[in-house]
Amino acid sequence: DAGVIQSPRHEVTEMGQEVTLRCKPISGHNSLFWYRQTMMRGLELLIYFNNNVPIDDSGMPEDRFSAKMPNASFSTLKIQPSEPRDSAVYFCASSSGMRNEQFFGPGTRLTVL
Amino acid sequence: QKEVEQDPGPLSVPEGAIVSLNCTYSNSAFQYFMWYRQYSRKGPELLMYTYSSGNKEDGRFTAQVDKSSKYISLFIRDSQPSDSATYLCAMRGGMGNTGKLIFGQGTTLQVKP
């Protein structure tokens, strides 16, 4: 199994630019989670989906952040416009049920200059 | 006050030492308790999973939960340099909970040969 796949692995962009992070969950998993990790705030859940439907987006910081899951094998997290305080590592995780073990991808390291 | 508190360390021990990692929490609704291990530049991976109070042992690792004190621990016996990583505690509620995990800040452990 290839595990959770995220792209890009690293992204450097300038303030004001649009950033799109991508995630392919493990085949057969029906729950998908987006997290953000920083030194100051640790690992925070941004949003999660079950069967492609957003269940809880209370962790999305503001309207500049949006996430979609058009099908069971693909999800995106978009930041528009990006700001320096968005610099963090963004993880995608998937599980075979909302309450089951979450498997994390390798993360996307985002730097906004 | 954060829902889950974890000392970020760093914690440095000699090879072979017994390591104790701890988290405290404030939400009495938490029923499921997990420990994740995160190597540098990698995503977290599940290490231990316990339900309610009690102990669980897996090889050199022992997880303890004391719900009366709202305190959980992870013990590592005969620590090895390969155990050097960041350890994150995570927890969530019981029946009816939608699966949202709350993570601690993580404790960075270094085991010196």
Side-chain angles (χ1 to χ4, degrees), chain B residues 19-59:
Chain B
V19 176
S20 173
L21 304 168
N22 311 293
C23 287
T24 58
Y25 63 95
S26 57
N27 190 341
S28 58
F30 288 145
Q31 297 273 5
Y32 294 88
F33 304 90
M34 285 138 272
W35 286 95
Y36 280 79
R37 179 175 61 195
Q38 184 176 20
Y39 290 114
S40 179
R41 305 275 175 166
K42 302 286 188 182
E45 56 179 348
L46 184 64
L47 190 61
M48 297 285 284
Y49 181 104
T50 54
Y51 169 70
S52 195
S53 286
N55 294 0
K56 185 173 183 179
E57 188 174 321
D58 184 1

Side-chain angles (χ1 to χ4, degrees), chain B residues 54-112:
Chain B
N55 294 0
K56 185 173 183 179
E57 188 174 321
D58 184 1
R60 296 183 296 110
F61 297 89
T62 300
Q64 286 187 352
V65 175
D66 182 350
K67 291 190 68 182
S68 63
S69 300
K70 295 190 179 66
Y71 187 87
I72 70 170
S73 301
L74 177 70
F75 297 95
I76 307 174
R77 292 185 300 279
D78 187 26
S79 56
Q80 302 295 310
S82 58
D83 296 328
S84 298
T86 297
Y87 291 80
L88 302 107
C89 62
M91 47 199 80
R92 66 172 175 85
M95 290 297 290
N97 179 267
T98 57
K100 180 175 181 177
L101 289 179
I102 307 299
F103 282 85
Q105 283 280 93
T107 299
T108 299
L109 171 68
Q110 183 181 26
V111 181
K112 295 184 176 180

Side-chain angles (χ1 to χ4, degrees), chain A residues 14-44:
Chain A
E14 292 188 345
M15 182 174 63
Q17 297 298 305
E18 177 179 297
V19 175
T20 299
L21 311 181
R22 297 172 176 80
C23 176
K24 177 179 169 55
I26 293 172
S27 178
H29 282 187
N30 62 343
S31 295
L32 183 139
F33 305 78
W34 281 104
Y35 289 90
R36 177 173 67 177
Q37 187 175 41
T38 61
M39 289 292 290
M40 288 295 294
R41 300 175 67 90
L43 193 64
E44 299 175 290

